[in-house]
Structures are given as C-alpha cells and as structure tokens.
C-alpha cells in the first residue's frame, strides 16, 4: 500500500499522465493503457485502493471530475458544426438511445439473469458512451469529419440521457412495486430534470453576459467558469441525483452557441484539465475494483451479455434509428461498432448498485461486475480496432501526414508541388482569390478564406494535416496564426517563414519570439525564398543510402542550397528548423532548394555542342 494520501495522489497523477505518454509514444489507445495500469496497481498487486483510502471524499471527487469532463465536451457542441448532420445525430440520440435501452434491458434479463427491475436500470445506464472514451479514440483514429462528429455529439448528448434513463427506470420500478403507489416521485423526477436543464442554460447565459460586458477580468474567466460548473452540477444533483450531468451539458452547449470569443481560450484550458482528470479517474476507478469483481467477469452469462451488447444491440439500434437518413452503409457499420463505455457508466453504476441493493434486489451486486466487463471489453475492442475498421470502410483520413500552408505565393506553391509529388496531402489557405490563382494553375488543393475566422473553423477540415506553415507577407500575422494553432497541432508541428530582415531587425526580433518555429533558417526570409524560385532554383530529392551518407551529401551540396525537409520511409515528414535537430538516416529522402547548377551546365554543354557543330 502507498505510504500516505499525498503519495497516492502523486502516484495517480504520475500513472495517469505516464499512461497517456506511453499511448502516444507507441500509438496505442490511451484508455486501454490507463485501464490496464489501474488494474495492475490496484486489484492485481494491491499498491492502492483509492475508494478505500479516500473514504467519503472518493465519490464527490469522481462526480465533480465527471461534471467538468462532460462540460468540456459540451463546450465543443456548436450547432454550426452539425449542419447536414442534425437528423442522424437527433435520431441516434433519441430513437437509437430508446431502442438500445429496450434491447439492452431484455439482454440483461434473459442473458445475464438480472431481474426486470435491475435490468431496466442497467439497460438505461449502458446507452452512454461519453467524451471520456470517445474523444481519445477520435484523436488517434483520424476518422473522416462526418462519422467523427456524429460519434462526438452522440457521446456527449447521450451521457446525461443515459444517467437520467437509469434514474427514470428506478423511479418507475419504485412506483410500480410500491404497496401505496404515489406519482409524486415521478413528477419530482421530471421537474428536477427540467430544473437542471434551465439551471444549466441560465448559468451559461449568465456567464456569457458577464464576459461580454467585461464584468469578469480575463485572468478570472476560466476559474469563474470552473466554479460555476461545479455550482450548477452540485445544485442540480442535490435536487435529484444524476441530473447534475444534464445541467453541465446544458451550460456547455449554451456557452458554445452564444458566440463569445472567450470560449476558444477557455476550451484550451478545459481540454488540458480534462486530459488530466480523465487520466486520474481511470486509474482511480480501475484501481478501486475488487479481485472478486474481476473474477466474475469471466462468468459465461456475463461474457454472453457483453458479446450481445457489442455485436447485436448496438448495430440494431443504429441501423433502425438511422432509417431514412443519408448515412451510407459504411458509416452505419462504423457507428454500429464503435460504442465504448466509460467513466459515467462506472461511476453511476456504483450508485445504483447501492440503492437497488438497499431496496432488496439481491442481483444488484452484479451491476458493478457487468459494468466493468462492458467497459473493459468495449474499450479494448474499439480502442484497438477503430483505425483498422475505419480504413477498411474507407472512412479514415489515414495516409502520409499532410501539410496546411497559409499564404499563396511562388515559394509556397512550389513547396506544395514537391510535397504532392511525395504523395503527402497539402492544402493552401489564403483570403485572396488573386493570390490563389497560382494554386489553381498549379493544380494544388486550396481553401479560400481567412484562416483565423470562425467560418473557416467550421468549414475547413484540418484532420488530414499534421503540420502547419504560416508563410504570408505579414510576419505578425504568421506569428498570430502559429500561436492560435499550437494547441491543436503541437509546438513541434507549427512553423513560420523567418521574419528576419536587415531593415527592421528590432521589430522582427519581437515577432520572432511569438508562436511557431522558424522554418529552414533564420536568415532565409520569405522574400529570399521567392527570389530563389524566380531565379529558377530547383526542388531536388536526394536519397540517403549506405553508399551515399548524409555527411557526404552535406559536403558535396552547393553552398546556396536550402535544406527543406526529409521524408522517412514511413511517410513521416520532418521540416528543417534551427530550433529542431533533423538528422537523416539511411532510407530517408532529403528535399532541398538547390541552385540550377546542373541545368546551367547542361545548357552550356548544349551550346558548346551546337557551336562545335556549326564550326564544322
């Protein structure tokens, strides 16, 4: 066991973030790594049991964390994002959820052997997927925008619906089995749900008004939202258990759709907090499981229940609910397969296990085992298969890493052409039709719009692109673009053309320090690159082999050569930058901008041959 609570908190954070890093480093599903890590330090080796060690604080910590995670997810639910997807999302979140509830309840009764009461409660609970499991999968899978958005919206909207369905089922059961039926409890449930939705909306509108009128300073905006989220969740949850999830979802969606600029800044803060909370909670929940619970997972009835939920209940609910929509067969197949359960199912199930057990339902003790079995098997199965399934169904944006170039000019057009020759996706973005003429003539994919505008955020699909290069004529704009997109692309994948020049070195030294790494060399400005293109410099590809080492290449290349990027055999691209060490290895291809020495030499030889021929 861990020596102290402080040491345990430290270890939970370390294991959670460590699991996220291992998953990123070895391209594995993060939720799978976190779940296995929690099982190892908890029931397997017995290093910790957070539920036992934290005592009465355990459940409130989990509940508040889930509320914050769900709010952060709903903060991304802008209605502009689902133009053309409203019908499938609505159908899946309503009719699909209802069908999954009924079929899941029947499966729990006839296969898992639960009583009707417990089966309908757990059936309602298991319709949830949620941002805690969907978001990490979407980050790693590179799905096409359409199925990705549907899965995201379904997960966030259905999360509170599933919890409310379970509460509703319990209230119905209590009403029907009572010796003196009283409808007041049902009325209270519906009133509490409406109250939670109105509370969340009011908190969202109130915070939006405070932001727009300047009543909250910038440095207090994120902390203020953080506290109001906890306030709305707690107040609604005190009125009726699990309605707090509905309140924070309503608050997040309200803030996302009232059009205030501060939401983008808060979103980055909330994303960072959510990653930390998801990591910690998965460790805590899995580490708190009992060995007996794990052993019961291998019961044939429980395994049969999980298999039917994954391969029968989910596909049927998706196919029936999407009849009449414009979803393709492949999209329906993917949506019918991907439905991992996560934190909300684990946390809410423990609550219902206790109250159903207290109400005299002996089979309620199986709820925790069933929940863990479904969570673990769906997380592992869907985590390891989503990329493969998406590729097989042609719904994946997998391929060579793409590059998004902001600014259309002679150099960026030629750079895009060289990347295109390497079969790497490339897109040029510019707000000027005149400047984009070069891209149109060269056959390069382009997007006409302002890179920093809200419309571009909703209409430009950035999923295929792993790198961003800002190469406009305005150095301050390049720096602003880089600063804006660093949270999305990562600091090592965002570049800008050097702002360096001899005339205005003081200003440029300031711009140089703002966002984005300098591409190629500090003393190679956009003007110089454009001039080299006008001087007929060529993009050359040089393979590094055992016979032709990189050192030899550096010694033999022309002094005026500018090293641009290398391409690994895997397709990975690494751009040269003085702030990043790039060392090509055998099998790599070095792409450079080279003086036209060979071409000039050939022209001279041709002229000499012609002169010699004429002389004869």
């Amino acid at each position: 066991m861990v020596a102290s609570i402080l040491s345990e908190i430290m270890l939970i954070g370390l294991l959670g973030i460590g699991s996220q890093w291992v998953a990123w480093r070895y391209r594995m599903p993060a939720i799978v790594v976190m779940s296995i890590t929690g099982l190892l330090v908890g029931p397997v080796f017995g290093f910790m049991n957070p539920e036992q060690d934290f005592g009465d604080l355990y459940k409130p910590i989990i509940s508040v964390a889930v509320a914050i995670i769900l709010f952060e997810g709903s903060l991304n639910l802008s209605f502009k994002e689902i133009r053309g997807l409203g019908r499938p999302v609505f159908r899946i979140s309503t009719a699909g959820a209802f069908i999954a509830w009924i079929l899941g309840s029947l499966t729990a009764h006839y296969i898992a052997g639960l009583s009707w009461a417990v089966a309908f409660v757990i059936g309602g609970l298991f319709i949830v997927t949620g941002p805690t499991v969907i978001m990490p999968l979407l980050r790693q899978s590179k799905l096409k925008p359409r199925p990705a958005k549907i899965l995201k919206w379904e997960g966030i909207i259905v999360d509170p619906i599933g919890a409310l369905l379970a509460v509703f089922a319990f209230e119905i059961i209590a009403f029907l089995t009572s010796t003196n039926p009283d409808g007041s409890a049902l009325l209270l449930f519906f009133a509490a749900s409406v109250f939670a939705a109105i509370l969340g909306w009011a908190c969202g509108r109130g915070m939006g008004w405070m932001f727009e009128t300047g009543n909250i300073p910038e440095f207090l905006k994120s902390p203020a939202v953080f506290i109001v989220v906890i306030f709305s969740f707690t107040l609604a949850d005190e009125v009726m258990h699990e309605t707090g999830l509905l309140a924070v979802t309503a608050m997040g969606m309200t803030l996302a759709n009232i059009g205030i600029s501060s939401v983008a800044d808060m979103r980055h803060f909330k994303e960072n907090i959510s990653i930390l909370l998801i990591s910690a909670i998965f460790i805590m929940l899995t580490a708190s499981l009992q060995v007996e619970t794990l052993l019961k997972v291998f019961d044939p009835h429980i395994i049969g229940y999980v298999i039917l939920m994954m391969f029968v209940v989910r596909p049927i609910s998706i196919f029936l609910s999407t009849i009449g929509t414009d979803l393709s067969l492949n999209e329906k197949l993917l949506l019918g397969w991907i439905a991992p359960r996560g934190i909300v199912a684990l946390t809410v199930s423990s609550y219902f296990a206790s109250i159903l057990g207290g109400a005299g339902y002996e089979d309620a003790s199986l709820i925790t085992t069933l929940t863990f079995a479904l969570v673990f098997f769906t997380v592992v199965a869907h985590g390891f298969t989503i990329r493969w399934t998406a590729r097989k169904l042609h719904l994946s944006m997998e391929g060579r890493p793409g590059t998004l170039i902001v600014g259309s000019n002679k150099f960026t057009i030629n750079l895009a052409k060289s990347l295109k020759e390497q079969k790497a996706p490339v897109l040029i973005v510019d707000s000027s039709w005149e400047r984009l003429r070069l891209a149109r003539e060269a056959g390069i994919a382009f997007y006409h719009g302002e890179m920093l505008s809200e419309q571009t955020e909703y209409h430009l699909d950035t999923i295929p692109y792993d790198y961003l290069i800002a190469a406009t004529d305005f150095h301050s704009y390049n720096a602003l673009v880089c600063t804006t997109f660093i949270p999305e692309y990562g600091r090592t994948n965002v570049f800008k053309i050097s702002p360096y020049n001899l005339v205005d070195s003081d200003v440029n030294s300031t711009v140089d320090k703002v966002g984005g790494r300098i591409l190629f060399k500090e003393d190679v400005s956009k003007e110089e690159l454009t001039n080299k293109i006008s001087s007929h410099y060529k993009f050359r590809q040089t393979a590094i082999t055992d016979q032709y080492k990189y050192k030899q290449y550096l010694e033999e290349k022309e002094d005026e050569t500018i090293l641009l990027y290398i391409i690994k055999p895997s397709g990975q691209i690494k751009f040269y930058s003085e702030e990043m060490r790039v060392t090509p290895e055998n099998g790599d291809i070095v792409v450079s901008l080279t003086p036209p020495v060979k071409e000039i030499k050939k022209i001279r030889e041709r002229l000499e041959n012609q002169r010699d021929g004429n002389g004869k």
Side-chain angles (χ1 to χ4, degrees), residues 19 33-44 282-284 286-288:
S19 298
V33 179
M34 290 185 290
S35 299
I36 293 175
T37 301
L39 291 176
L40 291 175
V41 299
V44 176
F282 259 102
I283 298 294
M284 291 173 65
T286 51
S288 298

Side-chain angles (χ1 to χ4, degrees), residues 39 43-44 286 289-298 369 372:
L39 291 176
V44 176
T286 51
L289 292 169
Q290 302 296 320
V291 176
E292 296 78 16
T293 302
L294 299 181
L295 294 177
K296 288 180 183 177
V297 167
F298 299 101
T369 302
F372 173 73

Side-chain angles (χ1 to χ4, degrees), residues 537-553:
Y537 273 56
K538 301 296 181 182
F539 283 78
R540 298 199 188 281
Q541 303 171 14
T542 305
I544 304 301
T545 64
D546 289 330
Q547 291 74 32
Y548 193 67
K549 301 287 187 182
Y550 182 58
K551 183 178 180 181
Q552 182 181 353
Y553 167 73

Side-chain angles (χ1 to χ4, degrees), residues 337-616:
W337 169 238
I338 302 300
R341 276 61 167 193
I343 287 175
V344 171
L346 281 173
T347 54
V348 179
S349 67
S350 62
Y351 164 74
F352 283 109
S354 61
I355 65 169
L356 286 169
Y361 295 97
E362 296 181 0
D363 55 343
S365 60
L366 286 175
I367 289 181
T368 303
T369 302
L370 271 177
T371 305
F372 173 73
L374 189 62
V375 167
F376 186 76
F377 283 118
T378 55
V379 160
V380 171
H382 299 153
F384 279 110
T385 62
I386 184 170
R387 296 178 72 168
W388 179 86
T389 305
R391 284 198 298 267
K392 290 296 182 182
L393 295 175
H394 307 292
L395 296 174
S396 172
M397 303 296 288
E398 289 280 9
R400 292 202 165 187
T403 303
L404 189 64
I405 303 175
V406 182
S408 178
N409 52 63
K410 287 183 178 180
F411 171 72
T412 57
I413 295 299
N414 282 273
L415 177 63
K417 288 169 67 176
S418 75
L419 289 166
K420 189 176 178 182
E421 288 175 2
Q422 298 295 332
K423 311 235 182 291
V426 62
L427 180 76
I428 290 183
V429 179
D430 204 300
S431 58
S432 168
W433 273 113
E434 177 60 27
R435 288 192 294 268
L436 285 172
R437 177 179 57 83
L438 297 172
R440 296 196 299 272
E441 291 174 351
I444 302 297
F446 64 88
Y447 176 84
H448 176 239
E450 167 55 56
M451 189 63 193
L452 298 176
S453 76
E454 186 179 2
Q455 294 301 316
T456 298
E457 179 182 352
Y458 295 119
H459 292 98
L460 178 60
D461 175 24
T462 60
I463 292 178
Y465 310 105
D466 298 80
Y467 310 100
L468 182 142
I469 295 175
T472 71
D473 294 331
F474 307 100
H475 303 312
S476 57
Y477 180 78
N478 293 339
L480 183 59
V481 168
C482 292
T483 302
T484 302
F485 286 94
I486 278 176
E488 181 176 341
Y489 285 88
R491 194 168 297 276
T492 58
N493 296 334
V494 174
F495 302 91
K496 64 187 176 190
I497 294 295
S498 174
Y500 175 86
N501 63 54
L502 297 176
V503 178
D504 200 10
S505 59
D506 290 337
V507 174
N508 286 312
S509 64
T510 301
V511 175
D512 179 36
K513 295 176 174 59
V514 181
R517 298 175 184 271
I518 293 178
L519 197 62
F520 314 137
K521 290 183 177 182
E522 188 181 76
D523 57 353
V524 180
S525 65
K526 179 255 178 184
E527 291 77 11
E528 184 175 349
L529 289 167
T530 304
N531 290 335
K532 289 184 183 299
I533 296 297
S534 299
S535 300
H536 306 290
Y537 273 56
K538 301 296 181 182
F539 283 78
R540 298 199 188 281
Q541 303 171 14
T542 305
I544 304 301
T545 64
D546 289 330
Q547 291 74 32
Y548 193 67
K549 301 287 187 182
Y550 182 58
K551 183 178 180 181
Q552 182 181 353
Y553 167 73
L554 293 178
E555 292 172 351
E556 295 180 359
K557 72 177 180 60
E558 300 294 330
D559 293 337
E560 296 83 5
T561 296
I562 298 175
L563 302 177
L564 302 178
Y565 60 90
I566 66 170
I567 292 190
K568 297 281 186 183
S570 63
Q572 183 184 10
I573 299 173
K574 288 192 175 183
F575 288 95
Y576 278 91
S577 172
E578 290 183 349
E579 301 167 76
M580 296 171 60
R581 184 177 180 182
V582 178
T583 306
E585 302 170 345
N586 290 346
D588 294 349
I589 295 175
V590 178
V591 180
S592 59
L593 187 60
T594 308
V597 176
K598 294 181 179 178
E599 287 75 9
I600 293 175
K601 184 178 179 181
K602 288 181 181 178
I603 292 173
R604 286 176 177 171
E605 289 177 354
R606 192 182 308 118
L607 291 173
E608 289 177 359
N609 291 335
Q610 290 177 356
R611 192 180 304 114
D612 293 341
N614 292 332
K616 292 179 181 178

